[in-house]
Amino acid sequence: MLKIFKYSLFDLIRSNWSIAYLAFYLMVSSSIIYMNGDITKSIISMMNVILLLIPLVATVFGAIYMYNSREFTELLLSQPIKRKSIFLGQYFGLAVSLSLSFILGVGLPFIIRGIITSPELSNFLVLIGVGLILNFIFSLLSFMVALRFENRIKGFGLSLFIWLFMSIIYDGILLLILIWFESYPTENLAITLTLMNPIDLGRVLIMLFLDTSALMGYTGAVFYNFFGVWQGILLSIAALSVWLLFPIYILLRYIKKKDF
Amino acid sequence: MQRLLLILFSLFIAYSTIGSELRVGKNQVFHSIEMALKMSQSGDTIFVEKGIYIEPNLLIQHPISLIGINYPTIENNKQQEIITVESDSVSIIGLHLQNIKVSYINDYAAIKVNRQKHCVFENNRLENTFFGIFLKHSKDCIIRNNYIKGNAKNEMSSGNAVHLWYCKNILVEKNQARNHRDGIYLEFVDNSIVKNNIVADNIRYGLHFMFSDHDEYRGNTFRSNGAGVAVMFSKYIKMQNNHFEFNWGSASYGLLLKDITDSEITNNIFKQNTIAIYMEGANRVDIHKNEFNSNGWAMKIYGSSMYNKINQNNFLNNSFELGVSGKSESNNFDGNYWSSHTGYDLNKDGTADIPYRPVKLFSRIISRIPSTSILMRSLLIDIIDFAEKVNPVLTPDNLKDHRPSMKIIDYDKN
């Protein structure tokens, strides 16, 4: 597994896409820092970029990689190697290379700007952490979709739909539910539904750490009491881990049966 | 001869009004302030030397000055009221008064004044007090440069640092009021001035007006109180050059206006409050040249607030700029700077060419259904706000700034 992981990682790091992705992040974060001037505001602006783009890029990139390396996968399958090692190795190669581009692309401009010594370091780390988790989750999802559908159009379509659903449609449904059940206390419902969507969860976590003015009033206090204490943070991390581990479990079961 | 007599007579009068000096201290004639008070006459000055004095209630019934040297500490032997003033023209300066117990029957205060005039309370340190300085039915008094720190735990069992009730012409200046229920409380107080005070960490309000007219407060700092200032059932109040900061919490306001009319709010800075200004039943209030910076809501205008003018303010980085109930048609919002405004200025006259609508669709949703605040900063919210901006359906159509400023409005911040 380690060998395959290494091979896919170095293969991906050398590809133009990774470099383009890195360059893109370098550009976005340095221009945001340049425009804002203030490091706290830059982190808040980065939040929107990260929540929107990381899942999108991970989705698209994961699907492209999976379809392109199909022949290589088939070659590996003909060798006496466990299927588990092949696919997990490939997946981690993909996710880690994406994460490296992300960390370098976002980290470097902020380090140059002096984030290490600033009091905002912990907030920045939360931002990076959320970005990494989203990266792993969404590349896994598109990896699975690409494995399941041999038709590229279908595969791309479905992965993009997953991204669109998670980042916009889900919020729309959540909003509608909250409006429908207006006359009931919906705070806990809102928290539960937020825990179920990694993008929303990431957003709320970053917001709680960075930008408390956004959450306010009685409800804000309810949310803060939930997400702001250790139990809430642990629960959020648990929810994110479920988003990661459950698909891996499904993946492992699926590849046992999959006929190539 | 007659003239000489007149001069002598007036000298005599002058001498007798200056009065004599009485000293209280370990090595002095008087060991307790109570004794000195009993022996004193009108116009005397009592100097209290440094030390700790446990006294019964000190009742002042003739005009004297009570002056502390190096802050002598005075306590009541039953932890009740320390000084009760029942005379005009009393000055209490430089004392350290402490430890007053909480009572649910009596309003024990460090200094209480009842129906008097021309009193001065200056440079005192009051610590662990229930009520600090308490004036009833009094006029023309000065409360200056006192440091008043309480130990309030909750609203039920706490008093106010400065409490004025049915007073007139009072000057409250340069005091620090901390950890009480209300920092400065005015009920039925007219023509008074509250200026340059620092009011912080009080449980309920920093400054509280009830039924008080023609007052003004300037240059105060209200920090981390339950609500910075509450102005209720009052009119003709001037509020200038104050700082409202970090009034942060689930029911916190920088400035709470309830049933107030014909008032003026200018040159204040509101920074990081949950709600900077909350208005209910506020009419003909002129709000201009204020800065609203990084608040949760810059303004919430509710219930029959009419004919208010909100002009030339800077709204910077607030989560929500304006929340209104109803149509709020008669209020004027022209000529402000809004940092989330994205208009253009083709003719370069400094004002944007298209009007700006400060009420976002999401701010309306969030006021109706607070739990939707969990969707804050979601992409969906940006999309529906944009859609509403392009074609307003749900937000009030004619609530807009007709000539929003393109640049931060510059004004004197002192």
Side-chain angles (χ1 to χ4, degrees), chain B residues 220-243:
Chain B
N220 302 288
T221 301
F222 303 100
R223 192 181 298 130
S224 311
N225 302 294
V229 174
V231 184
M232 301 180 179
F233 312 105
S234 301
K235 40 190 188 230
Y236 303 106
I237 308 281
K238 275 188 188 161
M239 320 172 206
Q240 289 168 339
N241 301 85
N242 300 289
H243 286 246

Side-chain angles (χ1 to χ4, degrees), chain B residues 8 19 24 29 47 96 98 122 143 145 175 216 223 246 264-265 348 413:
Chain B
L8 278 175
V24 182
V29 185
F47 287 99
H96 179 207
Q98 66 175 16
E122 214 171 333
I143 299 172
N145 219 358
N175 300 287
E216 72 183 77
R223 192 181 298 130
F246 311 111
E264 211 176 280
I265 302 172
K348 300 276 175 207
K413 279 190 185 144

